[in-house]
Amino acid sequence: MEKVKAFADWLTKWFTVIVVVWAVFNYFVPAASLWGKAYTGYMLGIVLFGMGLTLTLDDFKRILTQPLMVIVGTIAHFIIMPLIAVALCAIFHLSGPLAVGVILVGCCPSGTSSNVMSYLSRGDVALDVSIGILSTLCAPFMIPLLMQLLASQYVSVPVESLFLNAVKVVLFPIALGVICHMIFGKKIEKITVALPIVSQVAILLIIGVVVAANGPKLFVASSLMAIPVVILHNLCGYSLGFGFSKLMYKIYPKGFRYAQQKAITFEVGMQDSALGATLALTSFASNPIAAVPSTFFSVWHNISGSILSSWWRNHDDKHEIHWDSDNGEKGSAKNVATGDHPFDADKKATADAKVEG
C-alpha cells in the first residue's frame, strides 16, 4: 500500500503535466482513445463511485450542522459560474456548440480538485467537501434547468437526455459507493488509497476521448477562442466567489470567516470539468466540439488552483495571518499558540519523520 500511495502522490503532483502530454499524444494518435467515446459515462461513473466510497453519514450530517454556509455556497456556485459563462459567450461572440460547451462547464458542480486546493491554501476543507457534495447531488436537476434557460438560444437543448445522463453518471454511482461504504465499513479503507489513481486515470481517458473525437477541429481559430474564455471564466469565478464570501462575512461574520472564504472561492471557481465533457459527449454527441471547453478547463483550473493556493499560503505566512482568523487580519497568528491547520500538521509530521530517518 505504501507504493500505491507513493504513486498516487506522484500522479497528483504531476497530473497537469501528464494531462497536457496525454492530450498531445491523442491529437497525433487519436486511435489511442477514440474507442472509449461510448464509455465516457462509465468512466466518470467510476470516479463518482470512488467519491461515494469515501463518504460517510458524517459527511452528510455536516451539511445539516452548517446548512447556511453550505446552501449559500452552493447557490453562489450555480449562479455565478453559469452567468459568467453567458457573459463571456456574448463578449467573445461565441455561438453554436462551442458556446454550449462553455455554458455547460459553467453549469457543472464543483470538482474534487477544489477540495485539494482548499486544503493547500489552509481553507475550510470540511465546508469545501460539503458544498461539493451538495452541488454534485443537485447537478442532475440544475444542469438541465440552467442549460434550458441559458443555452437554448444556441442549440436545441436535450433536457431529458441531460437529466437522465446526469442521474446515471452522478447519482447512481455516488449512492452505490455510499451503500458499499456502509456495508463494508473499514474494509473499504484498504482500497481507498488507490482511488486517486483510478479517478485520475478515468479523467485522463475522458480527456483523451475529447481530443481524439475533435482531432483537426481542436486547433482551428474558433476552437482556440475557448482558451481565453475558459481562463477568464475560471479567474472571474475565483474573484466573484471571494468577493461574495467577503460580502457574506459582513452579513454573517460568525459563519463566513477567513477559512470559509477560501473554501467558497475555490468551490465557486473550480468545476467538475470531467462531468461537463462526459455530458457533452453523451447529450450533444453530434457536436463533440461542445466538450472542448471542459477539456481546456480541466487543464487550466488545476494550474490556476495550484498557483492561487500557493500564493495564499505564502501571503498568510508573510503577513502572519492565522488560518482560522476572522477576516484575514494581519498579525493574527502572533496571538495564537495552537490550532494548526491539518496542512501545517502534515508538514510538521513529514519534517519530523525526515529528521528521525
Side-chain angles (χ1 to χ4, degrees), residues 214-229:
N214 286 286
K217 298 178 182 178
L218 196 59
F219 293 107
V220 299
S222 57
S223 298
L224 289 175
M225 186 60 71
I227 295 179
V229 170

Side-chain angles (χ1 to χ4, degrees), residues 184-200:
F184 297 105
K186 291 188 176 180
K187 294 179 181 178
I188 293 293
E189 295 176 5
K190 295 180 180 179
I191 65 170
T192 54
V193 177
L195 289 180
I197 299 173
V198 175
S199 298
Q200 288 167 326

Side-chain angles (χ1 to χ4, degrees), residues 25-352:
F25 174 75
N26 278 276
Y27 178 75
F28 291 104
V29 190
S33 295
L34 202 54
W35 58 268
K37 187 176 179 181
Y39 305 103
T40 52
Y42 298 105
M43 295 172 191
L44 184 63
I46 291 171
V47 175
L48 292 170
F49 173 72
M51 175 184 175
L53 284 177
T54 65
L55 298 177
T56 65
L57 290 178
D58 288 338
D59 293 308
F60 293 96
K61 288 178 182 177
R62 195 184 302 120
I63 297 175
L64 300 177
T65 58
Q66 47 180 355
L68 179 62
M69 285 87 77
V70 177
I71 292 172
V72 168
T74 302
I75 291 173
H77 179 89
F78 280 121
I79 290 177
I80 292 174
M81 292 305 279
L83 291 182
I84 293 174
V86 172
L88 289 172
C89 286
I91 292 170
F92 284 85
H93 303 291
L94 298 185
S95 61
L98 197 62
V100 169
V102 171
I103 296 173
L104 179 58
V105 73
C107 294
C108 284
S110 57
T112 53
S113 295
S114 62
N115 302 343
V116 177
M117 302 311 169
S118 182
Y119 169 77
L120 293 176
S121 69
R122 303 190 186 108
D124 187 337
V125 180
L127 175 61
D128 197 289
V129 171
S130 297
I131 295 175
I133 293 171
L134 184 59
S135 65
T136 301
L137 294 177
C138 290
F141 309 96
M142 293 303 298
I143 292 175
L145 174 63
L146 290 170
M147 288 297 291
Q148 179 63 27
L149 289 173
L150 303 176
S152 57
Q153 59 179 309
Y154 299 107
V155 298
S156 176
V157 176
V159 175
E160 183 178 348
S161 173
L162 274 173
F163 173 74
L164 293 176
N165 284 325
V167 168
K168 183 170 64 176
V169 303
V170 176
L171 291 189
F172 284 172
I174 290 178
L176 183 61
V178 172
I179 292 170
C180 288
H181 195 155
M182 292 174 64
I183 294 173
F184 297 105
K186 291 188 176 180
K187 294 179 181 178
I188 293 293
E189 295 176 5
K190 295 180 180 179
I191 65 170
T192 54
V193 177
L195 289 180
I197 299 173
V198 175
S199 298
Q200 288 167 326
V201 168
I203 291 171
L204 281 171
L205 289 174
I206 293 171
I207 290 172
V209 169
V210 175
V211 175
N214 286 286
K217 298 178 182 178
L218 196 59
F219 293 107
V220 299
S222 57
S223 298
L224 289 175
M225 186 60 71
I227 295 179
V229 170
V230 161
I231 292 173
L232 286 172
H233 193 181
N234 171 240
L235 297 181
C236 288
Y238 290 148
S239 300
L240 292 178
F242 182 65
F244 171 79
S245 61
K246 282 286 188 182
L247 176 63
M248 289 304 301
Y249 173 78
K250 294 181 179 180
I251 298 172
Y252 184 50
K254 183 179 178 181
F256 293 88
R257 302 169 76 232
Y258 194 48
Q260 289 75 46
Q261 291 167 19
K262 292 179 181 179
I264 291 175
T265 298
F266 287 111
E267 277 299 306
V268 170
M270 302 188 78
Q271 303 294 92
D272 189 346
S273 48
L275 175 59
T278 301
L279 292 178
L281 290 171
T282 52
S283 296
F284 299 94
S286 61
N287 294 297
I289 200 76
V292 169
S294 292
T295 301
F296 287 155
F297 204 105
S298 181
V299 176
W300 169 252
H301 80 165
N302 280 293
I303 296 172
S304 66
S306 299
I307 293 172
L308 178 58
S309 61
S310 178
W311 175 86
W312 224 327
R313 192 170 63 249
N314 292 333
H315 170 267
D316 290 355
D317 288 342
K318 179 180 179 181
H319 297 287
E320 298 182 293
I321 301 173
H322 192 258
W323 70 271
D324 198 28
S325 62
D326 287 341
N327 195 28
E329 294 84 2
K330 294 181 180 180
S332 54
K334 294 178 180 178
N335 304 319
V336 182
T338 59
D340 285 336
H341 187 272
F343 175 82
D344 299 304
D346 288 348
K347 284 184 68 178
K348 287 180 180 179
T350 302
D352 291 343

